[in-house]
Amino acid sequence: MAAIKIHGSPFSTASQRVFATLYEKDVDFEFVNVDMRTGEHKKEPFLSLNPFGQVPAYQEGDLTLFESRAITDHIAQKFASKGAQLVTGEAEMKVWLQVEVNHFEPASSQLGWEQVFKPMFGMTTDPAAVEANEAKLTKVLDVYEARLSKSKYLGGDQFTLVDLHHLPNLQCLIGTPTKKLLDSRPKVSAWIADITARPAWAKVLAMQQKH
Amino acid sequence: MAAIKIHGSPFSTASQRVFATLYEKDVDFEFVNVDMRTGEHKKEPFLSLNPFGQVPAYQEGDLTLFESRAITDHIAQKFASKGAQLVTGEAEMKVWLQVEVNHFEPASSQLGWEQVFKPMFGMTTDPAAVEANEAKLTKVLDVYEARLSKSKYLGGDQFTLVDLHHLPNLQCLIGTPTKKLLDSRPKVSAWIADITARPAWAKVLAMQQKH
């Protein structure tokens, strides 16, 4: 089998999604660090891997993939018999995969940008943007609280890619005042405590120490 | 087999995605019109079908689904042997499905909102928003032009859900000044001419006449 190479950064939420999947599956991979501070992802040779100039990119022999959620899907299918069972064939799981992309990601990534990444780059947080995105996130979390009263995980009764895809942005929000929106919802809090405690996720966070 | 009901509107781009898939598969369905002008989608009983209050919703016996792209995936898998073959198992197809959601949809839906729906509701188009989103769409279309020089369709050599998911927003843009960005790219123009000419798409547009 061709070796798997991941071109990305331990600080990119999209890259973290892919690393978490590989660790859950206990699959060896080569990590190629893309220096985003020098804009390496916006230049060749990276643009040949992903014309949109975003990390991560996946290489396995002649196969090149980008878009983190397409990569996690590929890994979960390819190594279906290894490690955690991350995919179920159920249509309901596909619904909640879409909910993450279309509802959770836009609000949570903007909140991360305003409260974590902007200060890191010496930029100023925009309180109006925080307020608007907290209002959006509140609606999403209300739906999640109801959903998690019916099933242990968002996609169903087992941990799947649906939950895993949330990890990077959730981890980001935990370090911001937005944490209050998570803490005030018992089912959501218990779910976050459960999924962030997974050993595979600890390995993703440990990558940040090394780089 | 339980009858399929689609709760939606012929004027909603997300609903159109689902109708197009059903027509491509030549599958009978019952259409339940949700009157968005009176906010029917934001009240019960619709909220029991989709807690996010967005059309469309799919019902088939006890199975209820929402999120248009999860519904199209379910229909395409369930009726794999009927009508057009809309799904390939290839990882590359999954990449381009994600590109549509994460790159094409945000820019094109904002351009549709500003130039089609706002005027329809008596609101004023914001030229700055149009300019910003045309800049985003330009980057996406440049990537598409290069991709379509290598394969006839975005997901590969055959028409799949990847292309189908673009139809509603493309149709919307064709009626706006943003059309210039489509017309100036030969491969993109030929692709749009091809996919909008499909008989299934004509049936979706015909639904608008009836309602």
Side-chain angles (χ1 to χ4, degrees), chain B residues 2 15 33 66 71 77 81 139 149 155 164 184 187 201 208:
Chain B
S15 301
N33 193 45
F66 54 95
I71 298 172
Q77 306 273 358
S81 59
K139 288 184 189 172
S149 308
L164 184 150
S184 58
K187 297 290 182 185
W201 185 242
Q208 298 185 338

Side-chain angles (χ1 to χ4, degrees), chain B residues 3-189:
Chain B
I4 291 173
K5 271 190 204 181
I6 307 296
H7 303 255
S9 161
F11 300 96
S12 124
T13 52
S15 301
Q16 290 166 8
R17 222 169 263 132
V18 171
F19 299 142
T21 307
L22 287 162
Y23 285 129
E24 286 285 355
K25 285 292 180 189
D26 202 14
V27 170
D28 286 333
F29 64 98
E30 182 187 336
F31 167 54
V32 183
N33 193 45
V34 178
D35 190 346
M36 296 167 74
R37 288 165 308 180
T38 60
E40 221 182 293
H41 54 312
K42 299 295 182 193
K43 301 173 201 160
E44 290 295 352
F46 188 81
L47 287 178
S48 298
L49 298 175
N50 179 359
F52 289 100
Q54 293 177 341
V55 291
Y58 174 100
Q59 272 191 308
E60 174 200 328
D62 290 340
L63 179 67
T64 300
L65 304 174
F66 54 95
E67 288 290 329
S68 63
R69 294 166 186 86
I71 298 172
T72 60
D73 180 89
H74 171 70
I75 297 166
Q77 306 273 358
K78 184 178 170 79
F79 300 101
S81 59
K82 259 196 117 180
Q85 179 61 42
L86 300 177
V87 176
T88 68
E90 289 163 27
E92 209 170 13
M93 176 183 166
K94 308 270 177 79
V95 170
W96 292 91
L97 280 173
Q98 290 290 333
V99 167
E100 186 274 328
V101 181
N102 293 320
H103 298 272
F104 180 76
E105 160 77 26
S108 63
S109 68
Q110 281 303 307
L111 287 165
W113 168 244
E114 289 293 339
Q115 298 173 295
V116 178
F117 296 102
K118 271 179 142 186
M120 197 185 283
F121 299 136
M123 297 162 75
T124 310
T125 300
D126 174 1
V130 172
E131 194 183 343
N133 284 292
E134 283 197 341
K136 286 183 194 171
L137 186 65
T138 294
K139 288 184 189 172
V140 177
L141 294 176
D142 284 344
V143 172
Y144 282 17
E145 186 70 11
R147 170 74 180 166
L148 293 167
S149 308
K150 291 179 203 148
S151 60
K152 186 170 179 197
Y153 295 100
L154 269 188
D157 289 327
Q158 59 168 317
F159 177 83
T160 63
L161 287 181
V162 175
D163 310 291
L164 184 150
H165 287 177
H166 287 78
L167 277 168
N169 285 323
L170 280 177
Q171 187 71 49
C172 217
L173 294 182
I174 287 172
T176 71
T178 301
K179 185 171 187 287
K180 65 182 180 289
L181 299 182
L182 309 173
D183 291 345
S184 58
R185 291 171 173 81
K187 297 290 182 185
V188 166
S189 301

Side-chain angles (χ1 to χ4, degrees), chain A residues 8-191:
Chain A
S9 161
F11 300 96
S12 125
T13 52
S15 301
Q16 289 165 9
R17 221 168 266 133
V18 170
F19 299 142
T21 307
L22 288 162
Y23 285 130
E24 286 286 356
K25 286 292 179 187
D26 202 13
V27 170
D28 287 331
F29 64 100
E30 181 186 337
F31 166 54
V32 183
N33 193 44
V34 178
D35 190 345
M36 295 167 74
R37 287 166 307 182
T38 60
E40 221 183 293
H41 54 312
K42 299 295 182 194
K43 300 173 202 162
E44 290 295 351
F46 187 81
L47 287 178
S48 298
L49 298 175
N50 179 359
F52 289 100
Q54 293 176 343
V55 291
Y58 175 99
Q59 273 190 308
E60 175 200 328
D62 289 341
L63 179 67
T64 300
L65 303 173
F66 54 95
E67 287 291 327
S68 63
R69 295 167 184 86
I71 299 172
T72 61
D73 180 90
H74 172 69
I75 297 167
Q77 306 273 359
K78 184 179 170 79
F79 301 101
S81 59
K82 262 198 113 177
Q85 179 60 43
L86 299 177
V87 176
T88 69
E90 288 163 27
E92 209 170 13
M93 175 183 166
K94 308 269 178 81
V95 170
W96 292 90
L97 280 173
Q98 290 290 334
V99 167
E100 186 273 328
V101 181
N102 292 321
H103 297 272
F104 180 76
E105 159 77 25
S108 63
S109 68
Q110 281 302 308
L111 287 164
W113 168 244
E114 289 293 339
Q115 299 173 293
V116 177
F117 296 103
K118 271 180 144 188
M120 197 184 283
F121 299 136
M123 298 162 76
T124 310
T125 299
D126 173 2
V130 171
E131 194 183 341
N133 284 291
E134 283 196 342
K136 286 183 193 172
L137 187 66
T138 294
K139 289 185 188 172
V140 178
L141 294 175
D142 283 344
V143 173
Y144 282 17
E145 186 70 9
R147 170 75 182 167
L148 292 166
S149 309
K150 292 180 202 148
S151 61
K152 187 170 178 199
Y153 294 99
L154 269 189
D157 288 328
Q158 61 169 319
F159 177 83
T160 62
L161 287 182
V162 175
D163 311 290
L164 183 150
H165 286 178
H166 287 78
L167 278 167
N169 285 323
L170 281 176
Q171 188 70 48
C172 215
L173 294 182
I174 287 170
T176 71
T178 302
K179 185 171 186 287
K180 64 183 181 288
L181 300 181
L182 309 173
D183 290 345
S184 58
R185 292 171 172 82
K187 299 289 183 187
V188 167
S189 300
W191 169 66

